[in-house]
Structure formats: C-alpha cells, structure tokens
Amino acid sequence: MSLIKDIYSPAFYDRFADVMEQTVPDFDKKEFIRQIFSDAFKTMEWKERMKHTTRVFHEFLPYDYPAAIKLIEKIISKLRQNNTGEDSLAYIFLADYVEVYGLDDFKTSVKALEFITQFISCEFAVRPFILKYGDKMIDQMVLWSKHENHKVRRFSSEGSRPRLPWAMAIPALKKDPTPLLPLLENLKNDPSEFVRRSVANNLNDIAKDHPDVLLSIAKKWRGGSKETDAIIKHGSRTLLKQGHSEILEIYGLDGKNLNVSNLKIATPEVKIGDSLEFSFSITNENDSKRMVRLEYGIYYMKSKGHLARKVFKISEKEYEAGVTINISRKQSFKLITTRTFYPGLHQLSIIVNGEEKADLDFMITT
C-alpha cells in the first residue's frame, strides 16, 4: 500500500513540469526537476514535500506576486484542458502558494483563493487570512457563501470552521462564532450535499465551545426540510455523544424503560493488537415504540492513570414495544497513529439515548 507522500512522484513532477513549460516563459524543466529532488527529498514526509514543492515552484514564477498568480491561473486552465489534477491532493501546493506568499496582498489573494479553490480546496490556506484580517476576511467568506460555484460555497463554510482538523484553529471564532451565523444561514438549504455536510461540520465545531448556539439554531432550523434536518442532526453529533440533555430532548430521546441486560465481555483481558468482544441485550419495556440511539463507551486508560471516555455509535432506530434485541460487537485495540494504548484497567459502558445503562471493567495487556 503506497504512502500519501508518494503522490509526489517523479511521474507527477514530470507531468506538471510539462504544463509549466507550456505556460511559464523561459521555464527550465531540467532545473526544476533537479531542485525538486534535492538530497533531503527522500526523507521528507507528505507535508514537507508539499511545502518543498511550494518553495521550488516559487523560484520559477515571477517575484511579482500578482504576476505569479496570473501564471498560476494559466497553469490551472492548462491542467483542466488536459483533464488533469482536478481535486487532486497533490496540487494543494497551489493553495499553499497563496498562503505563503500572498498574506500581505489581500485583494490579489482573495481573487486567487476564489479561483484556485474551484480546482483544489483552499480551506487550509485561508486560515492565516482570517487570523490576520478578521472580520474583513469573514465578510468576504459570507459573500462567497452566495457564489454560483458549489466548491466556493463549500470553501466559505469549511475554511471558516473554528476547529478545522489538521489546520490552525481560529481562536476568535472559537470564542465567538457569531460572525459565522449569516454564512451558515445562507448555506442551510444549499442544493449541494457537499456544501451541506460542511455546514454540519461547522456547526459541530461551534457546538464544542458553544452548545447554546447549536441548540438555538437546531430549534430554529428543525423541520424546515429533510436536508436541513440532516444538517442539524450531523451538526449535533458531539452533543449527542456527550448525552447533552437538551439536544436529546429535541430529538425525543430518553432512556426511560429502555433496559440493558446480559452485558458480557468475552475477552476480559485484551492484548494490544487484539479486539475487545462483548454482547448484551436491550429491551423496550414501554407500551409504545421508541426511538433508540444505541452507543457504547470505552473508558481508555490515559498516560496519567485516569480514564477518559470515547463514544462509538451502534445504531439509531425505532424499537417496537416489548421487543428485545441481542447485540454483539468488537472494538479493535490495534496500534494506530492517532491513539496510544496504555496497559491497565479499562471500562466498557452501554449507552441508550444518552444514558449509561450498564458497564463492565476489562484489562489491556501488552
């Protein structure tokens, strides 16, 4: 299985250099390739290679920034003519170029971001502009939320997320997301699901710091359309996992007379690399059918010896009155880059409509 850094391959640079030859005056393909494949290139990871590509690319463009942007537009147009690179992660260095070299030229960079994001998303590149220009940049993104191109509309929402993963946070928007609300309002009925999912992600970010804002929007938007309802539901996912009482009430989710029994752990000792296996039964003891959001929580041992819960969803569906459902699941403890496992006591809990109904301990061993 190839690594993400391998998208920056000799074949990629050869094809891109051919386009540069057709668009950049006096371009020296041989020298471009030589600078790309420096002695350090092989040891670079993906982001390092992307940043390195930005720097080398800069050396072959005019040092006059607006002139360089005009050439980038020509390069993108040529790539499109060749049916090459649209939405390809390898070309994110074109967005990075604006972030690195255009931060002091607001006017030129705004036009560049609008153009480039229709080829490769600029959601990461716009973040320093929000930090530097504040409301001026947010006002521009509100305008983009009405753009005719759905990629620009999606960019306005995704790029302004207070907690965009793998990107720098926007402290001002984490503190006060109010400037984003007109933008999200413009996009709540967007015809593109691609855009609407970004709106939901933005709302979920907001909910982590300001659940009251999400709750207010949920009450306002809910019932407007099935698409809007889907935005609210997806945007509420963090609060739902937290068992937030008000969001559970909005969705009519409570745990009364929904009972868990026969919780068993088949693997009470789990070696790192193996899986936890467990089973249980859930019964709707109400006189009518009920909507049941079924989850389980793993209380992971952390480095300082405390337990911290992560919630995993099993299902969300209606249970008929009196019905009993048997559930079995596995939870992997294979080593992954985003989580470190620590040997010791862990805990499993079964969560029904936000309420922990049963729990058992288990051990993780090396």
Side-chain angles (χ1 to χ4, degrees):
M1 183 172 162
S2 60
L3 302 173
I4 187 173
K5 68 180 181 179
D6 293 334
I7 61 176
Y8 291 121
S9 64
F12 168 78
Y13 288 114
D14 185 68
R15 290 192 302 269
F16 182 67
D18 286 343
V19 172
M20 292 275 283
E21 274 190 319
Q22 299 171 53
T23 52
V24 178
D26 302 319
F27 176 73
D28 187 336
K29 178 178 178 178
K30 185 176 180 180
E31 178 61 16
F32 176 79
I33 297 296
R34 187 191 71 79
Q35 289 192 32
I36 285 290
F37 292 107
S38 64
D39 293 340
F41 185 86
K42 286 185 178 180
T43 64
M44 293 178 182
E45 295 303 320
W46 172 78
K47 190 171 183 180
E48 292 176 289
R49 288 186 179 186
M50 184 272 287
K51 289 287 187 181
H52 172 66
T53 304
T54 302
R55 292 190 294 269
V56 174
F57 182 54
H58 176 64
E59 294 299 314
F60 291 83
L61 293 180
Y63 281 92
D64 176 71
Y65 178 68
I69 291 299
K70 287 183 178 179
L71 276 176
I72 289 174
E73 291 178 357
K74 288 184 179 180
I75 289 168
I76 290 174
S77 296
K78 178 58 70 173
L79 288 168
R80 282 194 171 122
Q81 288 176 18
N82 297 344
N83 293 316
T84 300
E86 190 93 15
D87 298 321
S88 170
L89 182 62
Y91 286 96
I92 201 168
F93 70 88
L94 297 173
D96 187 59
Y97 186 91
V98 178
E99 175 184 343
V100 174
Y101 299 106
L103 193 56
D104 294 328
D105 188 340
F106 181 84
K107 184 177 179 180
T108 302
S109 292
V110 161
K111 292 180 179 178
L113 290 167
E114 180 179 332
F115 183 86
I116 294 170
T117 204
Q118 296 177 56
F119 181 75
I120 181 66
S121 179
C122 293
E123 64 205 57
F124 300 105
V126 76
R127 316 280 290 177
F129 290 87
I130 298 175
L131 290 174
K132 179 169 183 174
Y133 296 102
D135 288 345
K136 184 179 180 181
M137 190 68 236
I138 292 297
D139 288 346
Q140 177 59 53
M141 299 184 87
V142 172
L143 291 176
W144 279 333
S145 70
K146 298 181 179 180
H147 199 277
E148 62 181 5
N149 187 285
H150 75 281
K151 291 183 180 179
V152 179
R153 298 196 304 274
R154 189 257 185 189
F155 165 58
S156 72
S157 172
E158 198 70 9
S160 64
R161 287 176 58 180
R163 292 173 171 269
L164 180 65
W166 308 109
M168 61 180 70
I170 307 295
L173 294 178
K174 288 169 66 176
K175 184 177 180 180
D176 179 14
T178 304
L180 298 178
L181 302 187
L183 182 155
L184 301 178
E185 188 73 29
N186 288 343
L187 297 173
K188 69 179 183 181
N189 293 312
D190 198 276
S192 168
E193 184 180 0
F194 185 53
V195 175
R196 296 195 305 271
R197 287 190 66 84
S198 178
V199 173
N201 289 335
N202 201 315
L203 287 173
N204 190 56
D205 281 6
I206 291 172
K208 293 175 182 178
D209 300 298
H210 301 277
D212 55 317
V213 174
L214 185 279
L215 288 164
S216 176
I217 292 175
K219 292 172 183 176
K220 181 181 176 183
W221 288 6
R222 193 161 182 257
S225 68
K226 65 178 183 179
E227 290 81 11
T228 310
D229 285 349
I231 289 174
I232 291 299
K233 191 64 174 291
H234 196 55
S236 302
R237 62 189 184 273
T238 292
L239 295 187
L240 287 166
K241 284 186 175 183
Q242 291 173 350
H244 193 283
S245 60
E246 290 186 65
I247 200 69
L248 290 169
E249 184 179 348
I250 285 177
Y251 287 104
L253 298 172
D254 71 73
K256 186 177 180 180
N257 296 325
L258 297 171
N259 296 323
V260 171
S261 59
N262 300 320
L263 174 59
K264 297 176 182 178
I265 293 180
T267 53
E269 289 193 7
V270 181
K271 288 186 178 181
I272 294 175
D274 293 339
S275 295
L276 172 73
E277 300 180 24
F278 61 95
S279 61
F280 62 95
S281 300
I282 177 170
T283 302
N284 177 14
E285 297 182 359
N286 291 278
D287 295 332
S288 59
K289 62 183 178 182
R290 297 291 299 278
M291 182 62 70
V292 177
R293 180 182 176 90
L294 191 58
E295 301 165 300
Y296 64 93
I298 301 292
Y299 284 84
Y300 290 97
M301 174 73 73
K302 307 304 287 185
S303 59
K304 295 182 180 179
H306 66 286
L307 297 177
R309 189 181 78 169
K310 182 173 176 59
V311 175
F312 301 88
K313 186 176 179 181
I314 297 175
S315 62
E316 185 170 340
K317 60 184 180 181
E318 286 189 334
Y319 279 46
E320 295 294 336
V323 73
T324 296
I325 303 294
N326 299 317
I327 306 289
S328 60
R329 282 291 183 276
K330 290 184 178 181
Q331 177 65 32
S332 175
F333 278 82
K334 287 184 178 180
L335 291 173
I336 54 176
T337 57
T338 55
R339 184 178 298 278
T340 300
F341 300 120
Y342 297 95
L345 184 71
H346 288 56
Q347 190 176 78
L348 165 73
S349 68
I350 305 303
I351 307 165
V352 182
N353 288 355
E355 296 182 25
E356 291 192 332
K357 294 285 190 175
D359 59 74
L360 284 176
D361 294 337
F362 63 97
M363 295 292 294
I364 294 295
T365 62
T366 54

